[in-house]
Amino acid sequence: MAIIQNIETTLKSGETVIVRSANNHDALSALNIQRSVIAENEYVITTSHEFRNTEFHYQENIQKISENPKELFLVAEVKNEVIGWIIFHTPSLERRSHIGEFGMMISNEWRGRGIGKMLLISLLNWAVEHPSIEKIGLEVFSTNMNAIRLYKNLGFIEEGKRIKQIKIGPNSYIDVIHMYKFVK
Ligand SMILES: CC(C)(COP(=O)(O)OP(=O)(O)OC[C@H]1O[C@@H](n2cnc3c(N)ncnc32)[C@H](O)[C@@H]1OP(=O)(O)O)[C@@H](O)C(=O)NCCC(=O)NCCS
């Protein structure tokens, strides 16, 4: 079971943040964060009218990940409120057993205060100790400068770029950047 010990950190602004493995009760909060990030219409592929996930989907996902020793679903919590999450998925094929990819989202009002960094460092620390995970990957819109800065600061390297992979309007496109980091 990929479950980590709770990690407690105090922000410069004084609040205590707990990074911990997600449980069933986090499903609705995690869903609401995804909904609000999608509504911002800037950082993710899915549009609000296409978004079908429900609290139940999240509950299922949390359950599945908690039973899979190679996957991780972490949340960041302040004063009993979930304010961000990171999900790490791995493929099931044997020849891809050394890799995995993550996605992460922080509530708008909590961004730029180190929460994303804490979640990603927690994932990396777990991955370093993991017996089979070697390479961590991600995809990010080329326009998402805050995310790219965070990933680069933590040692992720650009692996390639899919040009005009996202079409946001007539004659308006975004490239998708693939990044990776070896943890072994
Ligand atoms: C990308 C995201 C996860 C980053 O999380 P965050 O909590 O805002 O990031 P942090 O505050 O931990 O920032 C860590 C580093 O990123 C950079 N950064 C992040 N937000 C920044 C901001 N608003 N201004 C300047 N730098 C910023 C800084 O370099 C910072 O490093 P430092 O503080 O050690 O110098 C968050 O902004 C988010 O959820 N965005 C919307 C959804 C999204 O884009 N998800 C990722 C899709 S690939």
Side-chain angles (χ1 to χ4, degrees):
M1 259 207 225
I3 302 281
I4 65 155
Q5 298 270 349
N6 291 8
I7 301 160
E8 212 171 286
T9 313
T10 306
L11 294 177
K12 281 181 199 147
S13 46
E15 295 95 343
T16 300
V17 183
I18 298 171
V19 170
R20 59 170 175 77
S21 290
N23 64 54
N24 242 357
H25 303 291
D26 300 318
L28 185 58
S29 312
L31 171 69
N32 285 337
I33 292 171
Q34 187 176 13
R35 262 197 197 124
S36 61
V37 169
I38 288 173
E40 289 178 70
N41 210 15
E42 260 191 82
Y43 309 109
V44 289
I45 296 172
T46 316
T47 56
S48 286
H49 65 273
E50 293 166 324
F51 187 59
R52 302 270 178 274
N53 277 4
T54 60
E55 185 179 0
F56 179 66
H57 283 112
Y58 264 93
Q59 282 169 345
E60 275 191 328
N61 206 6
I62 290 168
Q63 185 59 35
K64 263 199 255 165
I65 290 176
S66 72
E67 287 165 4
N68 185 337
K70 293 181 60 188
E71 299 198 330
L72 206 60
F73 190 150
L74 302 180
V75 296
E77 181 183 82
V78 174
K79 290 188 193 144
N80 296 322
E81 185 197 348
V82 171
I83 55 162
W85 53 253
I86 190 165
I87 296 179
F88 179 72
H89 277 300
T90 49
S92 54
L93 296 174
E94 198 180 310
R95 289 179 176 176
R96 287 183 159 178
S97 62
H98 62 303
I99 63 172
E101 292 209 353
F102 73 87
M104 64 190 302
M105 293 181 176
I106 310 297
S107 290
N108 194 325
E109 59 275 29
W110 284 95
R111 290 182 201 152
R113 298 172 67 178
I115 313 282
K117 195 171 177 178
M118 277 175 215
L119 281 168
L120 186 47
I121 288 175
S122 304
L123 167 66
L124 291 172
N125 287 344
W126 169 82
V128 164
E129 297 299 323
H130 195 280
S132 60
I133 307 292
E134 294 173 33
K135 180 183 180 187
I136 298 196
L138 66 96
E139 290 181 16
V140 60
F141 285 11
S142 56
T143 47
N144 195 345
M145 298 321 292
N146 289 338
I148 293 170
R149 205 177 303 115
L150 167 64
Y151 304 147
K152 282 190 174 161
N153 281 350
L154 290 181
F156 284 81
I157 297 167
E158 186 173 322
E159 185 164 40
K161 197 185 262 185
R162 302 200 74 182
I163 307 298
K164 288 191 174 181
Q165 186 73 358
I166 308 294
K167 183 164 187 170
I168 53 169
N171 268 322
S172 185
Y173 303 88
I174 295 175
D175 302 337
V176 169
I177 297 177
H178 291 242
M179 299 182 85
Y180 73 96
K181 180 180 168 102
F182 284 112
V183 292
K184 308 270 191 309

